[in-house]
Each structure stands twice: as structure tokens, then as C-alpha cells.
Amino acid sequence: MGSKTANKWVRPYTNGLIGLGTAVILYSALFSTAWGEPKWLLALLTAIVSLRVTIHIPSVKSEITVYDMFVFLALFTYGVEAGTLLAAVAGDGASVRCARTKRSYAINTATVALSVFLSGYSVRLLLGHRLPELAAQ
């Protein structure tokens, strides 16, 4: 398969990815139950501040941001929708360092939001709606 054949699928793939990511973010914003809680705003503010703090993993050339912890904490505490919204903010914030175009920002944000949403709903399908209750135990 030549590069011309591969390149003709890149634009529709990324357009679909951005569309699905936008739909997931809008769904999460509409159906999030965490909007009424003041803790949600504190978590968002703390997470934005922690975007720059990274932990280097010694055995591999990789790093994890402290922000990832806040995404999973929101996922387990407030539900899939809140975790998806925080992940979208994380994707946008992480794009500041590596993306050069607006399209790259959109792709990064959509990819992160979509992956957290699908992961969270997969766990919700396996465990039912008990995810916040399991996290509280």
C-alpha cells in the first residue's frame, strides 16, 4: 500500500475522531452529575495547576503527569462523565507542549476524552453503576 493510499484515509479518520470526541465531551457536559458540587471546581483548578508536574519512570523512557491521577480520581469519585471532562482539559493542556496547529489540539483533546469515556463505560458495563461506591470502600 503506497503513501497516497494511506494519506487519503488520514483526513476522514481524524475528522471522525474529532467528531466522536466532540460528541463525547458534549454528552459528558450535559449528563455530568458533578456540576453541583464545589469539590468539582477545586479538582479542576488543582488538576490544571498539576499539568506541568511529571514523574519520570526510571526503567523506561517515559513519564506520567500528576494530572493523570486527578483524571482517574474524578473517574472513580464523580463518574465517567466528570472523568471525561477532566481528561479533555488534560488533552488540551498537554497539547500546549507538543501541538503546533489547532487541528492537533482538537485531535489530542478528542483522543484523550474518547479513550477515557470508552474505558470508563467499559468498566461501568462490567461492574454496573457501582463504580463510585467501589471507590469509596
Side-chain angles (χ1 to χ4, degrees):
M1 189 178 335
S3 64
K4 267 191 169 180
T5 307
N7 285 338
K8 79 175 190 177
W9 295 106
V10 171
R11 189 67 130 179
Y13 171 76
T14 55
N15 287 341
L17 185 65
I18 292 170
L20 282 173
T22 303
V24 161
I25 292 169
L26 290 174
Y27 174 85
S28 297
L30 289 173
F31 294 105
S32 179
T33 58
W35 288 119
E37 299 189 29
K39 295 176 198 171
W40 167 248
L41 293 175
L42 180 63
L44 182 64
L45 181 65
T46 307
I48 289 172
V49 170
S50 69
L51 249 171
R52 292 289 186 185
V53 180
T54 59
I55 300 169
H56 296 281
I57 301 171
S59 60
V60 292
K61 290 184 176 182
S62 184
E63 59 186 26
I64 186 169
T65 61
V66 175
Y67 196 89
D68 297 332
M69 178 186 66
F70 286 109
V71 169
F72 288 112
L73 187 65
L75 186 69
F76 290 128
T77 306
Y78 297 120
V80 176
E81 292 82 9
T84 301
L85 292 174
L86 270 178
V89 173
D92 194 47
S95 296
V96 171
R97 289 188 276 172
C98 62
R100 292 190 175 100
T101 64
K102 290 179 183 178
R103 187 168 180 79
S104 295
Y105 279 105
I107 292 169
N108 291 344
T109 303
T111 301
V112 172
L114 193 59
S115 64
V116 169
F117 184 82
L118 291 176
S119 301
Y121 265 95
S122 298
V123 171
R124 187 181 278 182
L125 284 174
L126 291 173
L127 300 177
H129 289 283
R130 303 176 325 152
L131 194 57
E133 293 90 21
L134 291 174
Q137 290 180 353

